[in-house]
């Protein structure tokens, strides 16, 4: 069977698939050229990440497709139910990238409280006066230890983030309709010992009122989960991190709150108009930015490739 990995696949995954008898093509085919390429090359398995869109028209144009695989979590670039209604299997690799996304959130948190995103841009080539100006500008950083992190959506990534945040001495609370009371988070230490900490589940308003930092880890939604009304309920000088999906934070409301000083910082890995974020978001000195790279670590890519290969092999060798 032929596989087109249109947004790439880690060599570890390719090796596993080839050893199992699949042919893997890693050409990057332009979106509009996909139907012709898939049909002419008799591709039966289409693997994508977030760049390639697998909408109804592509599904209809490629009747030979048997499986669509999304390396990673969010399947909002695929018409999942439609594909399944046509008898095409749709799979993803939900667990492989959770730790990478959680580490990126911690990087945004540590970066923003010490202004790393801004000071990297402004460090002078030379000049004692400018150096000392910046030294003064960035001298009121804050520590994470002892602060409260509110996690909205404590699924795979949320729990991984909770583990890291608890490990550096933060207090963690969460809001998630799937859970009641608390979620057990197990911290493993390198000497083989472990400790389990209960992260309390609170309602959204309590989370907003109590948190110094709010991080979102929920699926894509039609309308923002955090808008003006929710920001008004947050602590003054709090911060928001969004490494889930762009539309779930109202960017206009966020910028207003940063300009007015209601919020101190924001960390964004995802944006409303990806891949073209608003200029005001890009230029804002209080916003720490990354270009949707939450899952993009060497380790996560290896795990994604291997998990995807394993899923495909077991699906077709049933
Ligand atoms: P998950 O399904 O394991 O967890 C999501 C959790 O959110 C669930 O527990 C669910 O009950 C909860 N939830 C749903 N709606 C909610 C709401 N309105 N309020 C509070 N909680 C709510 O998913 P995950 O693997 O943890 O992924 C979370 C998000 O991260 C997804 O949007 C995914 O697309 C995104 N993601 C981003 C990157 C990146 O590169 N930045 C990488 C992977 C995943």
């Amino acid at each position: 069977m032929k596989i087109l990995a249109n947004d790439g696949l880690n060599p570890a995954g390719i090796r596993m698939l080839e050893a199992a008898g699949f042919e893997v093509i890693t050409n990057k085919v332009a979106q509009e050229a996909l139907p012709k390429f898939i049909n002419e090359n008799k591709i039966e398995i289409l693997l994508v990440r977030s760049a390639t869109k697998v909408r109804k028209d592509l599904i209809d144009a490629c009747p030979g497709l048997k499986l669509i695989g999304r390396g990673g979590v969010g399947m909002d670039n695929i018409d999942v139910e439609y594909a399944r209604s046509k008898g095409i299997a749709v799979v993803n690799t939900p667990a492989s990238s959770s730790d990478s996304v959680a580490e990126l959130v911690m990087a945004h948190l540590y970066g923003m409280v010490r202004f790393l995103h801004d000071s990297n841009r402004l460090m002078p080539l030379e000049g004692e006066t400018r150096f000392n100006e910046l030294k003064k500008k960035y001298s009121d950083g804050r520590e994470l230890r002892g602060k409260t992190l509110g996690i909205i959506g404590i699924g795979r990534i949320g729990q991984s983030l909770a583990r890291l945040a608890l490990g550096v001495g933060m207090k963690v609370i969460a809001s998630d309709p799937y859970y009641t009371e608390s979620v057990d988070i197990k911290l493993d230490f390198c000497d083989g010992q472990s400790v389990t900490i209960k992260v309390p589940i609170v309602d959204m308003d309590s989370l907003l009122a109590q948190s110094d930092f709010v991080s979102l880890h929920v699926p894509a939604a039609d309308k923002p989960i955090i808008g003006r009304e929710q920001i008004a309920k947050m602590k003054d000088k709090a911060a928001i991190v969004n490494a889930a999906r762009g539309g779930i934070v109202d960017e206009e409301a966020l910028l207003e709150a940063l300009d007015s000083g209601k919020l101190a910082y924001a960390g964004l890995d995802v944006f409303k108009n990806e891949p073209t974020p608003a200029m005001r978001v890009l230029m804002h000195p209080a916003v720490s930015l990354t270009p949707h790279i939450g899952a993009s670590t060497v380790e996560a890519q290896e795990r994604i490739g291997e998990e995807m290969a394993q899923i495909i092999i077991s699906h077709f060798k049933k």
Side-chain angles (χ1 to χ4, degrees), residues 73-74 101 153 155-157 175-178 217-219 243 245 269 292 294-295:
V73 186
V101 181
R156 285 174 293 256
I157 298 171
S175 180
D176 189 318
Y178 187 76
H217 301 285
V218 298
R245 281 294 178 267
D269 185 46
H292 202 152

Side-chain angles (χ1 to χ4, degrees), residues 49 70 72-76 94-95 97-98 101 104 151-159 175-179 204 216-220 225 242-245 248 269-270 292-296:
R49 302 231 33 212
R70 159 69 161 105
V73 186
M75 300 220 273
D76 31 318
S97 52
S98 304
V101 181
L104 183 77
I151 299 178
I152 301 179
I154 190 151
R156 285 174 293 256
I157 298 171
Q159 290 183 34
S175 180
D176 189 318
Y178 187 76
Y179 294 95
M204 182 80 151
L216 294 112
H217 301 285
V218 298
I225 288 173
N242 184 9
R245 281 294 178 267
I248 62 174
D269 185 46
V270 291
H292 202 152
I293 52 159
S296 305

Side-chain angles (χ1 to χ4, degrees), residues 6-7 28 31 48-54 70 77:
N6 205 45
D7 299 330
K28 173 73 189 171
Q31 187 74 42
V48 301
R49 302 231 33 212
S50 57
T52 303
K53 312 290 174 232
V54 192
R70 159 69 161 105
N77 54 326

